[in-house]
């Protein structure tokens, strides 16, 4: 039996305070008033006989006792959330809330369809869907602002999340239409055009630069573009060439008549798009959403891409596990 004064609401308030360092933000997170948040914390500290936060500092910071108790609190709340979710996963309409983030690579084709499918299934659910960069989705997942995120994988294990692979997306080269007349000699025919790079703070740019560095390949560093469509527009205007992926190429459909796409003329590589879910969720919900995303990706992106660029067959593909 829990000692008197230790309540589930008190644990939730303590977790929110530890995350935010602010009574006001903890009140927003928990839906309580600020006086109620302060009272819950006082009750919990009185029951435990120890200060959990340094009340003299702003923002609040945890005491050594608070840091120790937080790890136990998070474990307990994680198990309770898992148990709660298990009661609702067989029917998504019973989920109380679902927050989901998707990379903007899916904006044109997949995200609108996925939004309508989930909205139809989650009729009683508070549903939030955002599009963002992979880095921003990782950050939101780490801060537990999203239940599920679809992003490019870094290949690293991320504490508190489970990964469900969705798509293998190989890197390709795009060049101004007609600039390359011999597909077997792409590199030499682009010698006099600069490489147009994605902005270096983007994950796709970091993956490309790491690959070029591994293979000791250097190019002039003149252009760094933060907008994918602006980058494709510059290729179409014959300013330079770029390394992208089929998902990026298909997203830039408005420029297809002005650009050509080729397999990389050097060592090939690919990125993995995955679904990430908070680990205190049971597998059923992420698996159902992942299955839907795979089916939509196959029909709305992969099939049209291979129809346009047949040499992508076997490279651009859905990953079942």
């Amino acid at each position: 039996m829990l000692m008197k004064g230790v309540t589930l609401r008190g644990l939730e308030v303590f977790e929110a305070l530890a995350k935010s360092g602010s009574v006001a933000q903890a009140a927003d997170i928990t839906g309580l008033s600020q006086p109620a948040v302060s009272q819950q914390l006082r009750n919990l500290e009185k029951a435990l006989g120890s200060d959990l936060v340094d009340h003299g500092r702003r923002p609040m910071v945890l005491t050594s006792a608070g840091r120790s108790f937080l790890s136990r609190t998070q474990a307990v709340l994680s198990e309770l959330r898992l148990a709660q979710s298990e009661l609702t996963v067989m029917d998504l309409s019973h989920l109380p809330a679902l927050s989901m983030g998707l990379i903007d690579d899916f904006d044109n084709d997949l995200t609108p369809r996925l939004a309508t499918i989930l909205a139809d299934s989650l009729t009683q659910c508070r549903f939030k869907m955002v599009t963002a960069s992979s880095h921003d989705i990782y950050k939101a997942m780490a801060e537990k602002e999203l239940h599920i995120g679809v992003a490019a994988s870094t290949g690293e294990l991320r504490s508190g999340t489970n990964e469900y692979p969705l798509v293998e997306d190989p890197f390709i080269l795009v060049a101004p239409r007609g600039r390359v007349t011999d597909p077997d000699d792409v590199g030499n025919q682009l010698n006099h055009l600069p490489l147009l790079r994605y902005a270096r703070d983007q994950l796709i740019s970091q993956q490309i630069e790491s690959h070029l560095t591994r293979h000791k390949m250097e190019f002039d560093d003149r252009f760094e573009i933060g907008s994918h469509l602006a980058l494709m527009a510059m290729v179409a205007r014959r300013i330079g060439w770029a390394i992208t992926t089929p998902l990026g190429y298909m997203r830039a459909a408005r420029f297809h008549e002005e650009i050509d796409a080729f397999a990389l003329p050097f060592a090939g590589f690919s990125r993995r798009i995955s679904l990430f879910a908070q680990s205190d969720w049971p597998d059923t919900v992420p698996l159902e959403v992942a299955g839907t995303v795979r089916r939509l990706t196959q029909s709305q992106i992969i099939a049209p891409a291979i129809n346009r660029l047949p040499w992508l067959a076997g490279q651009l593909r859905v990953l079942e596990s």
Side-chain angles (χ1 to χ4, degrees), residues 4 42 70 76 79 93 97 131-132 139 154 170 173 181 215 221 233 246 311:
K4 186 176 180 181
R42 285 195 295 270
L70 178 62
V76 168
E79 288 298 317
S93 66
T131 58
K139 180 180 178 182
T154 63
L173 184 151
T181 57
H215 291 275
D221 193 3
W311 49 269

Coordinates of all heavy atoms in Angstrom, one line a residue, residues 4 42 70 76 79 93 97 131-132 139 154 170 173 181 215 221 233 246 311:
K4 N 0.3 7.3 2.9 CA -0.7 8.4 2.7 C 0.0 9.7 2.2 O 1.0 10.1 2.6 CB -1.3 8.7 4.1 CG -2.4 9.7 4.0 CD -3.1 9.9 5.4 CE -4.2 10.9 5.4 NZ -4.8 11.1 6.7
R42 N 3.6 19.8 -2.5 CA 3.8 19.8 -1.1 C 3.3 18.6 -0.4 O 4.0 18.0 0.5 CB 3.0 21.0 -0.5 CG 3.7 22.4 -0.7 CD 3.1 23.5 0.2 NE 1.7 23.7 -0.1 CZ 1.2 24.6 -1.0 NH1 2.1 25.3 -1.7 NH2 0.0 24.8 -1.2
L70 N 12.6 10.6 -9.3 CA 12.1 10.8 -10.7 C 12.2 9.5 -11.5 O 11.2 9.2 -12.2 CB 12.8 11.9 -11.3 CG 12.3 12.2 -12.8 CD1 10.9 12.6 -12.8 CD2 13.2 13.3 -13.4
V76 N 7.0 4.0 -13.0 CA 5.7 3.6 -12.5 C 4.6 4.2 -13.5 O 3.7 3.5 -13.9 CB 5.4 4.2 -11.1 CG1 3.9 4.1 -10.8 CG2 6.2 3.4 -10.1
E79 N 4.5 2.3 -16.8 CA 3.7 1.0 -16.7 C 2.2 1.3 -16.7 O 1.4 0.6 -17.3 CB 4.2 0.3 -15.5 CG 5.6 -0.4 -15.6 CD 5.6 -1.4 -16.7 OE1 4.7 -2.2 -16.9 OE2 6.6 -1.4 -17.5
S93 N -10.7 4.3 -31.9 CA -11.6 5.3 -31.6 C -11.7 5.6 -30.1 O -12.2 6.6 -29.7 CB -13.0 5.0 -32.1 OG -13.6 3.9 -31.4
A97 N -6.2 10.3 -26.8 CA -5.4 11.3 -27.5 C -4.3 10.6 -28.4 O -3.8 9.6 -28.0 CB -4.7 12.3 -26.5
T131 N 3.7 18.4 -39.3 CA 4.8 18.0 -40.1 C 6.0 18.8 -39.7 O 5.9 20.0 -39.3 CB 4.5 18.3 -41.6 OG1 4.2 19.7 -41.8 CG2 3.4 17.4 -42.1
A132 N 7.2 18.2 -39.7 CA 8.4 18.9 -39.2 C 9.6 18.2 -39.8 O 9.5 17.1 -40.4 CB 8.4 18.9 -37.7
K139 N 13.2 15.7 -31.3 CA 13.2 16.5 -30.1 C 11.8 16.4 -29.4 O 11.7 16.3 -28.2 CB 13.5 18.0 -30.5 CG 13.5 18.9 -29.3 CD 13.8 20.3 -29.7 CE 13.7 21.3 -28.6 NZ 13.9 22.7 -29.0
T154 N 18.5 7.7 -37.8 CA 19.9 7.9 -37.7 C 20.6 6.6 -37.4 O 21.9 6.6 -37.4 CB 20.3 8.9 -36.5 OG1 19.9 8.3 -35.3 CG2 19.6 10.2 -36.7
P170 N 16.8 5.2 -51.2 CA 18.2 5.4 -51.7 C 18.5 6.8 -52.1 O 17.6 7.5 -52.7 CB 18.3 4.4 -52.8 CG 16.9 4.3 -53.4 CD 16.0 4.4 -52.2
L173 N 20.9 11.1 -57.7 CA 21.5 12.4 -58.2 C 20.4 13.0 -59.1 O 19.8 12.4 -60.0 CB 22.8 12.2 -59.0 CG 23.6 13.3 -59.5 CD1 25.1 13.0 -59.5 CD2 23.1 13.7 -60.9
T181 N 24.1 13.6 -71.0 CA 23.8 12.8 -72.2 C 24.2 11.4 -72.2 O 23.7 10.5 -73.0 CB 24.4 13.5 -73.5 OG1 25.8 13.6 -73.3 CG2 23.8 14.9 -73.7
H215 N 34.1 8.6 -48.4 CA 34.7 8.2 -49.7 C 35.6 9.2 -50.3 O 36.0 9.2 -51.4 CB 33.5 7.9 -50.7 CG 32.8 6.7 -50.3 ND1 33.2 5.4 -50.7 CD2 31.6 6.5 -49.6 CE1 32.3 4.5 -50.3 NE2 31.4 5.2 -49.6
D221 N 32.0 24.4 -52.1 CA 31.0 24.6 -51.1 C 30.5 26.0 -51.3 O 30.8 27.0 -50.6 CB 31.7 24.5 -49.7 CG 30.7 24.5 -48.6 OD1 29.5 24.5 -48.9 OD2 31.1 24.4 -47.4
A233 N 14.2 23.7 -57.5 CA 14.0 24.8 -58.4 C 15.4 25.3 -59.0 O 15.5 25.6 -60.2 CB 13.3 26.0 -57.7
P246 N 14.5 9.5 -53.7 CA 13.3 9.4 -54.5 C 12.1 10.1 -53.8 O 11.2 10.6 -54.5 CB 13.0 7.9 -54.6 CG 14.4 7.3 -54.6 CD 15.2 8.1 -53.6
W311 N 14.6 2.1 -62.9 CA 15.9 1.5 -62.3 C 15.8 1.6 -60.7 O 16.7 1.0 -60.1 CB 17.1 2.3 -62.8 CG 17.0 3.8 -62.8 CD1 16.5 4.6 -63.8 CD2 17.3 4.7 -61.7 NE1 16.5 5.9 -63.4 CE2 17.1 6.0 -62.1 CE3 17.9 4.5 -60.4 CZ2 17.3 7.1 -61.3 CZ3 18.1 5.6 -59.6 CH2 17.8 6.8 -60.0

